[in-house]
Amino acid sequence: MSSKLTERQQQVLDCIRECLADTGMAPTRAEIADIMGFQSKNAASDHLRALERKGYIKLHSDRSRGIQLLDNAYWSEEELPIVGKVAAGVPIEAIENVERTVPVPQGLFKQRPTYLLKVQGDSMIDAGIFDGDLIAVRKSNVARNGEIVVARIDEEVTVKTLKLNKSSATLLPANEAYEPIKVPADQLVIEGIFVGLIRDPNSY
Amino acid sequence: MSSKLTERQQQVLDCIRECLADTGMAPTRAEIADIMGFQSKNAASDHLRALERKGYIKLHSDRSRGIQLLDNAYWSEEELPIVGKVAAGVPIEAIENVERTVPVPQGLFKQRPTYLLKVQGDSMIDAGIFDGDLIAVRKSNVARNGEIVVARIDEEVTVKTLKLNKSSATLLPANEAYEPIKVPADQLVIEGIFVGLIRDPNSY
DNA sequence: ATGGGTACTGGCAATATGAACAGTGTTATT
DNA sequence: AATAACACTGTTCATATTGCCAGTACCCAT
């Protein structure tokens, strides 16, 4: 259907999306020009016409901010992949690991998740994260003290609470049966931050 | 927080929601007046100012269509109401109790929830249901043994695991600090069944 | 080499829109 | 009886915004 966008057009589309997410209003041509760094409003106009021609937006003529996003329901739902059993050495975002996708609406969680991870094991049971739960993860390689993170140590991925010391980090389980894991700061790879949880008691 | 709306103001708010859902654009004062049947744009202006004062919308001055819906997501489709503190005697689905709505996509949970309930207290903590969690509830007046239910005893609403005996029922908490509640079958009112859980660690 | 799509600058006119001001009438509260 | 909030009509003015025309320049496929 919708033909491919050029890099610039994609940037303009992203810019519109951001405005929408930010203020709830579509931008004016002048605002787009301002954000994108154009000297002329008409540059934005041209891009908008291109985006409409390619089927990504609908322009309501003579209406202020009359830009309507089409195709992907950006503002109703976003399909997030569920990353399942993570094989050793495979990056967590590898497509091979995607079991299925689940629609997660924007704004369900304060922080927007990048993907979902199916929890295995009960090491975070005292934090209310159970085996089989889906956790919403925002991809990030940094995290703050006390946050629940998805971390990788030696090709293994776990969910733990992050405790930061001066030169090392500790991954804290939430289950007495498990021991805290102390990791030198340079061996720890943060994959993402826990931003939400979804549990379905009827799931299989 | 946000004070109560008059009927007219509610209608104007609905009108804005519809415009947003329909075209992706907030309406102008003239459009509101047109839809609502006002002869004067200023009638719409007055209502908008009232809505802003009461905390339902944000008006961006001097911007066309500068109406931003606050708190809840603007594009209502599969929005489920969050039922908060349930006052004694008030039916759980009373409109007065609706704090806000959250978009929940169909298919997120195996069983489709009817509403969301914000959990208060830690009586189900061992079942991974924490204070502040949102639980998705399917309205039902029957439940099977072992299911986690939303039940009402003497005008009070609680979330517990249901244990059915011959002539009575027991509501089982998941916290050692709480005692099981034995209820004659005819005094127990099932409000709904626990069908899912949503947790946002960043929610205030 | 020619035409079309992309990616802009710059400017102008028409209109869409918000804001402010001056009123009228009703209802609820003090 | 006075005050405030509500629910409007009607008008004017400033400015926000769109739409369009005229150019320039680059790249790609015929």
Side-chain angles (χ1 to χ4, degrees):
Chain A
M1 297 299 122
S2 38
S3 32
K4 227 174 172 179
L5 294 182
T6 66
E7 194 180 326
R8 215 73 179 117
Q9 288 164 359
Q10 182 64 55
Q11 285 170 15
V12 172
L13 187 58
D14 288 340
C15 160
I16 297 169
R17 282 202 243 261
E18 257 183 66
C19 283
L20 244 6
D22 223 44
T23 64
M25 294 185 286
T28 64
R29 282 122 235 266
E31 285 169 354
I32 295 175
D34 203 39
I35 296 170
M36 299 287 298
F38 303 150
Q39 301 302 304
S40 169
K41 299 175 299 183
N42 197 47
S45 280
D46 284 353
H47 284 303
L48 289 178
R49 272 192 286 267
L51 285 171
E52 182 173 42
R53 182 165 42 77
K54 293 185 175 182
Y56 286 80
I57 62 175
K58 179 179 177 188
L59 293 175
H60 297 256
S61 59
D62 291 326
R63 316 248 118 164
S64 301
R65 301 170 186 275
I67 305 173
Q68 184 174 10
L69 288 188
L70 297 176
D71 71 316
N72 68 38
Y74 184 84
W75 39 22
S76 56
E77 297 172 8
E78 191 185 359
E79 296 271 333
L80 292 184
I82 298 183
V83 178
K85 303 180 182 71
V86 182
V90 182
I92 207 163
E93 64 271 23
I95 300 168
E96 287 76 36
N97 287 315
V98 175
E99 287 182 352
R100 58 185 175 115
T101 63
V102 166
V104 175
Q106 301 287 328
L108 183 61
F109 302 116
K110 283 275 195 310
Q111 280 200 54
R112 186 154 130 221
T114 320
Y115 57 88
L116 303 173
L117 184 65
K118 189 159 220 164
V119 174
Q120 301 189 306
D122 53 1
S123 70
M124 293 298 280
I125 206 163
D126 289 343
I129 302 175
F130 281 39
D131 187 68
D133 285 357
L134 287 180
I135 60 172
V137 180
R138 183 192 185 87
K139 217 181 153 201
S140 167
N141 44 25
V142 291
R144 279 175 298 181
N145 194 29
E147 282 181 325
I148 296 178
V149 299
V150 176
R152 174 192 301 281
I153 321 161
D154 291 333
E155 316 298 1
E156 204 185 327
V157 173
T158 53
V159 180
K160 295 281 182 301
T161 300
L162 181 68
K163 192 92 188 172
L164 283 175
N165 310 0
K166 285 142 250 163
S167 60
S168 71
T170 308
L171 294 175
L172 238 49
N175 187 331
E176 288 171 8
Y178 291 77
E179 290 298 317
I181 309 169
K182 196 166 187 178
V183 194
D186 60 337
Q187 273 184 42
L188 180 72
V189 180
I190 304 286
E191 287 277 0
I193 301 169
F194 169 74
V195 296
L197 182 141
I198 298 171
R199 179 184 307 153
D200 184 351
N202 299 302
S203 156
Y204 68 129
Chain B
M1 305 295 124
S2 37
S3 32
K4 227 174 170 183
L5 293 182
T6 66
E7 195 180 326
R8 215 72 179 118
Q9 288 163 359
Q10 184 63 56
Q11 285 170 14
V12 172
L13 187 58
D14 288 341
C15 159
I16 297 169
R17 282 217 182 88
E18 259 184 64
C19 283
L20 246 6
D22 222 43
T23 64
M25 294 184 287
T28 64
R29 280 122 234 265
E31 285 169 354
I32 294 175
D34 203 39
I35 295 170
M36 299 287 298
F38 303 150
Q39 300 302 305
S40 168
K41 297 179 302 182
N42 197 47
S45 281
D46 285 352
H47 284 305
L48 290 178
R49 271 191 288 266
L51 285 171
E52 182 175 42
R53 181 166 42 79
K54 294 185 175 182
Y56 287 80
I57 62 174
K58 178 179 177 190
L59 293 175
H60 296 255
S61 59
D62 291 324
R63 319 244 116 168
S64 302
R65 302 171 186 276
I67 304 172
Q68 184 176 10
L69 289 189
L70 295 178
D71 46 63
N72 54 28
Y74 345 142
W75 16 79
S76 55
E77 220 105 64
E78 328 116 52
E79 302 241 336
L80 293 184
I82 298 184
V83 178
K85 301 182 182 72
V86 182
V90 181
I92 207 164
E93 63 273 21
I95 300 167
E96 287 75 37
N97 287 315
V98 175
E99 286 182 353
R100 59 187 176 113
T101 61
V102 165
V104 175
Q106 299 189 10
L108 182 61
F109 302 116
K110 281 278 194 306
Q111 280 201 53
R112 176 119 65 97
T114 320
Y115 56 88
L116 303 174
L117 183 65
K118 188 159 223 163
V119 174
Q120 302 188 308
D122 53 2
S123 70
M124 292 298 281
I125 206 163
D126 290 343
I129 301 175
F130 281 40
D131 187 70
D133 284 358
L134 288 179
I135 60 173
V137 180
R138 183 192 185 88
K139 216 178 157 203
S140 166
N141 44 24
V142 291
R144 278 174 298 180
N145 194 29
E147 283 181 325
I148 295 178
V149 298
V150 176
R152 174 192 302 280
I153 321 162
D154 290 335
E155 314 299 359
E156 205 185 327
V157 172
T158 53
V159 180
K160 296 282 181 302
T161 300
L162 180 69
K163 193 90 186 172
L164 284 174
N165 309 2
K166 283 141 254 166
S167 60
S168 72
T170 307
L171 294 175
L172 237 49
N175 186 334
E176 288 171 8
Y178 291 76
E179 291 298 318
I181 308 169
K182 196 164 183 178
V183 195
D186 60 336
Q187 274 183 43
L188 179 73
V189 180
I190 303 288
E191 287 277 358
I193 302 168
F194 170 74
V195 295
L197 183 142
I198 297 171
R199 179 182 307 154
D200 184 351
N202 299 302
S203 155
Y204 53 127

